[in-house]
Amino acid sequence: MYDVRFYKGNYKWRQKQANQDRCSAYVEHHFNASANVNSNYAMVITGRLASQTSKSWGRWYARRISEQFNSPMGGTEGILVGGYNGRGNGNLKYTRMPAILLEPMFISNPQQAAIVKDVEGQDKLAKVLAESIVSFFPDNSRIGFSIGHKYKTSRPRDRGASVYGGGTEADYAEIVMEKAKYILENYDPAKIIEEPEVIEEESQLSPDNDIRVIKNGKEIWLHNDIDEDDDVLWDQDNRILYITSNS
Ligand SMILES: [Zn+2]
């Protein structure tokens, strides 16, 4: 059986704790949301400098979700490397092990929101997550779980996007992760025989979330209270940098 640990606090802190505990893998669970209620694709984000293992694991998960729930895959074969305009990268980049950020379905889509709220749907989501871990990481591995948005020290009330018809992204992500933890902690390899793949060490180093303005090589402005879940968008035409909080 696996040893599953939940990590709380700000995203960087969670990842550093998972490194210290020598986790073999790290997963952060989100759900997607869009103004377009028809959006329904399955997607996994990996860090910008993710290893091949992270990418293969993410693709495996996205493909299985798409098969199980009859939904299309987003990104490139189900994964988006480096996140949306870099958003999502900070949730993974400090990990020294394979790490993925899950966006299995859209809670803004009425049909998919209904699945997320349904116990059977939650069990199915948890099973896919647990199976992806069993396929890529050997039995007895320690696995780090992170619930997107929830338990951040910086914004304790953040729960992410709203679920169509009520509820929040983070509360449902937590339900699914708790179920996956249960499956993994009761996993008996005698019942299912699978060959685990070889895991390589991985390091993801890139700058912090700070935003700097540098003129002629000299830093003239620094903004450092940007949350990892904020959208940062440079409007090239109007030369405006937009920073939008999601909570
Ligand atoms: Zn989210």
Side-chain angles (χ1 to χ4, degrees):
M1 56 189 173
Y2 291 81
D3 171 18
V4 177
R5 296 189 181 182
F6 277 97
Y7 291 96
K8 295 175 182 177
N10 290 337
Y11 295 138
K12 185 175 173 181
W13 170 257
R14 300 179 190 193
Q15 295 168 66
K16 298 217 154 169
Q17 296 300 113
N19 290 342
Q20 215 164 66
D21 287 349
R22 303 197 163 275
C23 285
S24 300
Y26 185 88
V27 192
E28 185 162 298
H29 204 308
H30 289 248
F31 286 104
N32 224 328
S34 164
N36 178 357
V37 293
N38 296 316
S39 295
N40 65 347
Y41 56 83
M43 168 102 96
V44 167
I45 289 171
T46 72
R48 196 167 58 80
L49 304 176
S51 70
Q52 203 47 57
T53 306
S54 297
K55 292 175 184 167
S56 305
W57 176 27
R59 287 205 167 99
W60 192 104
Y61 174 88
R63 188 172 304 121
R64 183 63 72 96
I65 289 285
S66 125
E67 287 164 4
Q68 293 277 306
F69 296 97
N70 279 317
S71 55
M73 283 194 291
T76 309
E77 293 172 65
I79 65 165
L80 181 62
V81 176
Y84 301 90
N85 291 316
R87 200 170 124 232
N89 190 48
N91 303 52
L92 306 168
K93 72 179 179 185
Y94 300 102
T95 57
R96 291 204 225 291
M97 74 285 292
I100 56 176
L101 189 156
L102 314 178
E103 304 265 19
M105 40 184 66
F106 280 76
I107 50 170
S108 44
N109 174 308
Q111 285 86 42
Q112 295 202 320
I115 294 169
V116 170
K117 289 184 181 194
D118 174 60
V119 175
E120 254 178 64
Q122 293 158 4
D123 285 340
K124 225 160 128 181
L125 284 163
K127 198 161 166 257
V128 174
L129 172 56
E131 284 171 354
S132 80
I133 289 166
V134 170
S135 299
F136 281 81
F137 305 97
D139 191 21
N140 297 316
S141 294
R142 180 170 295 151
I143 311 294
F145 273 9
S146 164
I147 299 153
H149 306 278
K150 207 169 176 177
Y151 304 117
K152 279 185 297 188
T153 320
S154 59
R155 287 187 192 163
R157 287 194 306 274
D158 186 7
R159 295 290 181 275
S162 299
V163 181
Y164 181 91
T168 67
E169 173 189 352
D171 288 335
Y172 284 106
E174 185 168 34
I175 290 170
V176 171
M177 286 200 119
E178 287 284 4
K179 286 175 181 283
K181 176 181 159 83
Y182 180 85
I183 297 169
L184 289 165
E185 292 193 337
N186 292 281
Y187 170 72
D188 181 357
K191 287 181 189 160
I192 316 150
I193 298 146
E194 257 175 297
E195 281 293 308
E197 293 191 9
V198 180
I199 308 309
E200 312 127 39
E201 282 277 302
E202 153 171 33
S203 178
Q204 299 186 2
L205 294 169
S206 58
D208 259 310
N209 297 299
D210 299 356
I211 289 184
R212 297 184 157 83
V213 176
I214 294 171
K215 187 181 178 185
N216 299 328
K218 200 176 154 223
E219 182 178 296
I220 57 168
W221 188 78
L222 166 69
H223 191 65
N224 59 9
D225 67 341
I226 295 170
D227 190 83
E228 289 144 317
D229 286 317
D230 289 349
D231 278 316
V232 178
L233 186 69
W234 172 246
D235 176 351
Q236 172 65 31
D237 294 340
N238 299 303
R239 306 184 61 74
I240 299 171
L241 184 70
Y242 290 98
I243 301 167
T244 312
S245 297
N246 288 293
S247 50

